[in-house]
Amino acid sequence: MEMLPFCRGLFLLVASIALVSPSLLVDQHTSGHAGRYQPALQPSQSVPDTGTYLLETTSGKLCLKATMGLGYTVIIEKKSWYYNVDPSMVLVSGHCGTNAVTLSLTLPNNSASLQLTYSLVDSVSYVSRLSTHISPQPACNGCSSRTYPGGLSNISLFQTPPGQSYQCSSQVLLVMTEELQVRLVPLQLQAFKVPDGGYGQEVMCPADYNRAVVPTILWATACGLVLIAVLTYLLVKDRRGTGYQRL
């Protein structure tokens, strides 16, 4: 009978440990994983998932909207490796100004980031500066762990009039350095004057324009050549028939 209270207390202690310890283990694992996060490069290329990123003023008004898939190409010893950004992991920050808007997209542990600056000059909106970096896991046995930075300045990318958006369904490839490229596909951007919940009139990128217009031009040219050939044949036939008429 004297052992009964001791056994009961021991049972309650074991039960409390069983209930508490799993949550502690989960918390430790989660925080450790977040602190260790590094992008894992892949040997083959695929289309990245599309995310929509919004930047607002202090009063809650949109100053930039970006819808795009973001991918990296890292070149190690002449071999290309790829990483696609998961939009759900991106932290969005930036600054809204009258003539300049800066958007920053950052992955956990600052393991990768993309920062672009929009400028408004003479009623033209465009990206004037772009910087990025990625700190991936080593891609192969013996490969070193390092950070790949890159930047473009004094540029005029994605030009539109205010109130219009730049759209491109084709892949936009930005060569940052000999070792780093940024892939944007698909892409739609608008800064400064952004309608609530949408985009303004689209400005088509050159690649999409060529893909849409060139086949039409070729088709029209082919139809024109066929029409010329038919008319020439009918004209020659008519002349021959006239030359052999009897008096």
Side-chain angles (χ1 to χ4, degrees):
M1 296 296 292
E2 296 180 357
M3 294 294 293
L4 184 58
F6 174 78
C7 293
R8 183 180 300 167
L10 181 62
F11 174 80
L12 292 175
L13 177 62
V14 172
S16 63
I17 293 175
L19 290 174
V20 173
S21 59
S23 61
L24 293 176
L25 290 174
V26 170
D27 291 342
Q28 291 173 359
H29 174 76
T30 302
S31 61
H33 176 74
R36 294 194 307 268
Y37 180 78
Q38 282 184 290
L41 300 176
Q42 303 298 322
S44 58
Q45 182 176 347
S46 60
V47 179
D49 292 336
T50 302
T52 296
Y53 311 103
L54 306 176
L55 193 61
E56 298 180 341
T57 64
T58 53
S59 61
K61 183 178 180 180
L62 277 178
C63 73
L64 185 145
K65 183 175 182 180
T67 301
M68 59 187 179
L70 172 59
Y72 288 88
T73 302
V74 179
I75 302 171
I76 304 174
E77 297 180 355
K78 299 182 179 181
K79 176 177 174 55
S80 295
W81 297 85
Y82 305 95
Y83 174 75
N84 291 338
V85 171
D86 180 355
S88 66
M89 300 181 66
V90 173
L91 173 65
V92 181
S93 61
H95 171 73
C96 297
T98 304
N99 297 311
V101 173
T102 300
L103 173 69
S104 296
L105 306 177
T106 308
L107 288 183
N109 200 34
N110 197 31
S111 55
S113 72
L114 176 70
Q115 183 180 78
L116 57 87
T117 299
Y118 252 99
S119 296
L120 180 62
V121 180
D122 296 332
S123 297
V124 178
S125 171
Y126 59 90
V127 173
S128 59
R129 181 180 177 85
L130 195 148
S131 61
T132 189
H133 82 272
I134 184 170
S135 303
Q137 300 176 19
C140 58
N141 293 330
C143 292
S144 59
S145 178
R146 53 168 293 196
T147 297
Y148 298 86
L152 301 173
S153 58
N154 298 321
I155 54 178
S156 301
L157 294 175
F158 317 137
Q159 295 186 31
T160 65
Q164 298 186 21
S165 64
Y166 187 91
Q167 185 180 46
C168 197
S169 298
S170 304
Q171 176 175 273
V172 176
L173 183 64
L174 302 173
V175 180
M176 311 303 293
T177 67
E178 293 182 353
E179 298 176 307
L180 181 63
Q181 300 172 357
V182 171
R183 295 175 285 113
L184 304 175
V185 56
L187 171 68
Q188 190 166 11
L189 294 168
Q190 186 166 347
F192 302 106
K193 296 181 180 180
V194 184
D196 292 335
Y199 287 103
Q201 180 180 348
E202 297 88 0
V203 174
M204 189 182 298
C205 68
D208 285 0
Y209 179 82
N210 291 336
R211 189 169 62 180
V213 173
V214 170
T216 303
I217 293 176
L218 293 176
W219 181 85
T221 301
C223 290
L225 292 174
V226 171
L227 180 60
I228 291 172
V230 171
L231 292 176
T232 302
Y233 170 77
L234 294 175
L235 181 60
V236 171
K237 181 180 179 181
D238 183 66
R239 287 184 177 179
R240 287 179 178 178
T242 303
Y244 285 97
Q245 288 181 355
R246 295 183 178 180
L247 297 178

